[in-house]
Amino acid sequence: MDSDCIFCKIVRGEVPSTKVYEDGDVVAFMDIGPVVKGHTLVIPKLHYDPLMNVPEDLLQKLILVVQKIAMAQVSGLKADGVNVTQANGELAGQVVPHVHFHVIPRYKGDKHSWSCKADKYDTIEEMGGYASRINAAMREL
Ligand code: AMP
Ligand code: ZN
């Protein structure tokens, strides 16, 4: 637990939240600044950050709750689609440094839009080089 962390405070009940799910390891609650209404955050009760530091068994529990929330947004909120996003590091847009998944219901005509603009590789070999470096690093993990 991190005494200054806003999400740890939510877990401890020191900051109010609107919870949609809770078990021994995981909490899901409404994002106070919803990108689209129904936007839900899924976090571990223990303070881990970033994603790369989350133990495997806990990550499995988190992603299963993410899946259930997504399913419930489709069946319960009649979402036409769902975005699952997750940021690591300020540079990546992370504001709260306690690992969390955003689960965002999407609707035809909703006001949310991704501003991602696709870059491109100069050559197929350049792309292969990135793939090789990731693959080599994965074998060292
Ligand atoms: P990120 O930019 O990925 O770190 O996302 C942090 C998210 O936490 C934002 O979408 C905020 O709206 C949300 N947030 C921050 N404080 C609270 C809070 N007290 N209760 C609910 N959501 C929060
Ligand atoms: Zn925390």
Side-chain angles (χ1 to χ4, degrees):
M1 288 287 168
D2 177 332
S3 56
D4 290 333
C5 170
I6 182 91
F7 287 176
C8 284
K9 287 180 179 170
I10 284 176
V11 170
R12 291 195 295 266
E14 293 166 14
V15 163
S17 67
T18 302
K19 293 194 177 108
V20 296
Y21 174 83
E22 181 170 12
D23 63 29
D25 303 296
V26 180
V27 183
F29 56 97
M30 305 311 288
D31 192 306
I32 38 161
V35 162
V36 175
K37 289 177 184 175
H39 182 167
T40 305
L41 298 174
V42 178
I43 68 167
K45 284 188 166 176
L46 294 179
H47 182 93
Y48 285 103
D49 195 66
L51 176 72
M52 294 71 97
N53 288 338
V54 180
E56 269 182 32
D57 57 339
L58 180 56
L59 189 53
Q60 285 168 358
K61 289 173 182 166
L62 284 165
I63 202 68
L64 288 174
V65 174
V66 167
Q67 184 195 39
K68 286 235 163 65
I69 299 286
M71 290 161 77
Q73 288 179 347
V74 170
S75 61
L77 299 183
K78 306 296 173 213
D80 300 311
V82 178
N83 282 122
V84 174
T85 68
Q86 199 278 322
N88 299 286
E90 252 181 87
L91 193 81
Q94 185 181 14
V95 174
V96 178
H98 177 134
V99 71
H100 54 280
F101 290 88
H102 296 259
V103 189
I104 304 167
R106 300 301 308 274
Y107 298 91
K108 288 182 196 86
D110 69 35
K111 295 190 190 85
H112 182 48
S113 72
W114 296 110
S115 57
C116 296
K117 203 169 139 256
D119 197 357
K120 65 177 171 122
Y121 295 102
D122 293 333
T123 61
I124 196 83
E125 289 76 19
E126 187 194 16
M127 184 168 70
Y130 277 87
S132 299
R133 285 161 60 196
I134 295 169
N135 181 260
M138 284 180 80
R139 279 184 271 113
E140 299 297 319
L141 296 175

